[in-house]
Amino acid sequence: MALWSERRPSDDFHRVLAPDGSLVGDPPELGDDELKRLYRSFLQTRRLEEKLLRMQRRGEISIIARSLGEEAVALGSAAALAAGDWCFPTYRQTAARAYWGSPVDRSVASLMGAETETVNEHLPPDEEGEGVVFTPPYVPLTVNVTNAVGSAMADRFRGTDTVSLAYVGEGSTSEGDFHEALNFAGVYDAPVVTVCQNNQWAISVPAHRQTAAETFAQKADAHGVPHERVDGNDVLAMYEATKEAVKNARDGGGPAFIEAVTYRRVEHNTADEPGVYRDEEEAEYWAERDPLDRFDAYLRREGVIDDDWVEAVGADVDAEVQAGVERAREVPESDPERMFDNHLHGEPSWTARHQRAELRAEQRGENPFTDFDGSGL
């Protein structure tokens, strides 16, 4: 028996494509090449995450977080950025990286545990230098907003017209950092767009159990930040809403907040078992609203793609993913001490020194957890 009941969110949001792929609004002005690029990024994300899951099951990767059924949030919003803009992703924005050509080999090598310095020594550099600038994905998601607001203000002081895009989950909107950052952005008109990926679950807590707000979008009201609720399974709606928000921010109009309504059909990450706290009926409902199926139906109806094109692109994506994984497997393991290489402030802190001592004790085959204050090491 499931631990939690679920409440389906209302669908009074911005939408361009109905779940069956038919148009219910005016589509954005995108050419065939751009639409095909979006489709290819969809495919690459799915094929890569399927591969990563198999690698995790074999023990090559310790943990991954998939975005199955949520890809349109990252894909549509990231596609609205321009070269030179900043993107602050979480672990569920694989599609954003795919769209902007992030190398598969470097991403996989990092997931396999290689430190950045080791990756740089053994894999070709990321030559997409003229694209969007991605920060590393942060596990404490809420700091994405504070960091993105800081980034946006720095760019504004430098006199550039770049925009920062931050992603958070709906659970992050219950934390203090989120409100402090949004308040700052509202007061100082920071050129930043925040996308809340509302997938209905903050790990194992359903949305209705972690906030009493009617919507997550309305939380931006308290900070004077314009907001919009969007169908997160509609890649064209996500693109359209983010494009307008990014343009407004770039033109000096200040921040925006977008609630992207979607659903987490799979586990939070591979350390999670959702079967102990929810049933599968709701996941099946959302599977029928799959964002790739919806986009596929639309493009076929418009004559943009057909079976031959999809088959050819699928084969191309599979080859790219496999080649990237093979190169990543050639990267040697990093020296564990490298995790201490980079410090923001002068001499290593007591905590850093203690963690290093714990690591060395473990490498000697000793129990590193013999005390709390480090006096026993």
Side-chain angles (χ1 to χ4, degrees):
M1 181 178 177
L3 178 62
W4 300 116
S5 60
E6 296 190 57
R7 295 179 188 172
R8 194 169 295 164
S10 66
D11 59 1
D12 57 342
F13 40 49
H14 176 59
R15 172 181 277 173
V16 174
L17 296 177
D20 65 359
S22 60
L23 281 172
V24 294
D26 295 330
E29 295 182 1
L30 293 171
D32 287 359
D33 289 345
E34 186 64 13
L35 292 168
K36 288 179 176 178
R37 180 179 173 183
L38 288 169
Y39 192 100
R40 188 186 190 284
S41 302
F42 252 126
L43 273 187
Q44 181 177 329
T45 301
R46 292 211 170 174
R47 302 292 174 84
L48 174 59
E49 291 189 348
E50 289 167 2
K51 184 72 173 180
L52 293 174
L53 180 63
R54 292 194 293 274
M55 294 176 71
Q56 193 275 332
R57 296 299 191 233
R58 286 198 296 266
E60 292 183 272
I61 294 174
S62 62
I63 190 171
I64 65 164
R66 295 186 287 160
S67 60
L68 179 66
E70 303 178 50
E71 302 96 330
V73 176
L75 186 53
S77 52
L81 294 173
D85 287 338
W86 287 82
C87 182
F88 293 74
T90 75
Y91 37 71
R92 234 178 284 282
Q93 269 74 57
T94 307
R97 291 181 176 278
Y99 180 85
W100 283 102
S102 181
V104 172
D105 51 7
R106 298 177 69 89
S107 297
V108 175
S110 295
L111 287 168
M112 294 177 73
E115 291 291 327
T116 302
E117 292 82 358
T118 310
V119 173
N120 289 337
E121 290 168 5
H122 295 276
L123 288 177
D126 180 0
E127 296 180 348
E128 298 289 332
E130 296 182 356
V132 166
V133 182
F134 282 85
T135 64
Y138 298 102
V139 175
L141 306 186
T142 317
V143 298
N144 265 359
V145 191
T146 53
N147 289 347
V149 171
S151 166
M153 291 302 295
D155 282 334
R156 186 171 144 191
F157 291 144
R158 281 199 293 259
T160 69
D161 66 350
T162 54
V163 174
S164 294
L165 174 66
Y167 295 94
V168 292
E170 80 282 357
S172 301
T173 68
S174 296
E175 299 192 10
D177 288 356
F178 168 81
H179 295 283
E180 293 164 12
L182 223 59
N183 183 67
F184 191 98
V187 169
Y188 293 101
D189 288 332
V192 60
V193 176
T194 301
V195 173
C196 170
Q197 187 155 333
N198 175 14
N199 66 10
Q200 316 298 318
W201 286 93
I203 306 182
S204 58
V205 179
H208 70 89
R209 295 287 296 186
Q210 61 101 3
T211 184
E214 185 175 347
T215 72
F216 290 93
Q218 70 179 201
K219 293 189 178 188
D221 264 339
H223 308 296
V225 173
H227 54 81
E228 183 169 15
R229 220 164 154 261
V230 180
D231 183 345
N233 283 15
D234 179 350
V235 68
L236 297 185
M238 282 303 305
Y239 173 84
E240 200 168 58
T242 313
K243 191 76 174 178
E244 182 178 346
V246 166
K247 181 180 185 306
N248 185 63
R250 201 183 307 283
D251 292 344
F257 182 76
I258 296 172
E259 178 190 349
V261 182
T262 181
Y263 189 80
R264 200 194 76 210
R265 287 160 47 189
V266 293
E267 66 286 331
H268 172 69
N269 59 36
T270 48
D272 176 42
E273 172 45 68
V276 302
Y277 54 80
R278 72 179 190 188
D279 60 46
E280 293 304 311
E281 290 184 10
E282 194 65 12
E284 292 169 5
Y285 168 86
W286 286 90
E288 296 173 357
R289 286 149 182 77
D290 183 86
L292 177 55
D293 291 347
R294 183 183 310 196
F295 194 45
D296 181 281
Y298 168 69
L299 294 184
R300 287 176 187 272
R301 190 174 295 126
E302 295 294 314
V304 178
I305 63 173
D306 56 25
D307 287 344
D308 291 340
W309 185 86
V310 171
E311 183 178 355
V313 169
D316 183 54
V317 164
D318 285 342
E320 180 180 347
V321 169
Q322 185 60 34
V325 169
E326 289 174 1
R327 288 194 297 274
R329 283 171 170 157
E330 296 299 319
V331 175
E333 292 184 2
S334 298
D335 182 341
E337 293 267 356
R338 298 204 80 155
M339 75 173 84
F340 301 109
D341 280 356
N342 301 296
H343 298 275
L344 291 177
H345 305 289
E347 292 298 316
S349 65
W350 177 90
T351 301
R353 295 196 305 274
H354 182 47
Q355 289 174 344
R356 188 188 292 267
E358 288 181 325
L359 171 65
R360 289 174 176 170
E362 184 170 2
Q363 289 175 316
R364 291 193 300 269
E366 302 170 2
N367 179 7
F369 307 116
T370 57
D371 55 25
F372 178 75
D373 60 7
S375 58
L377 294 174

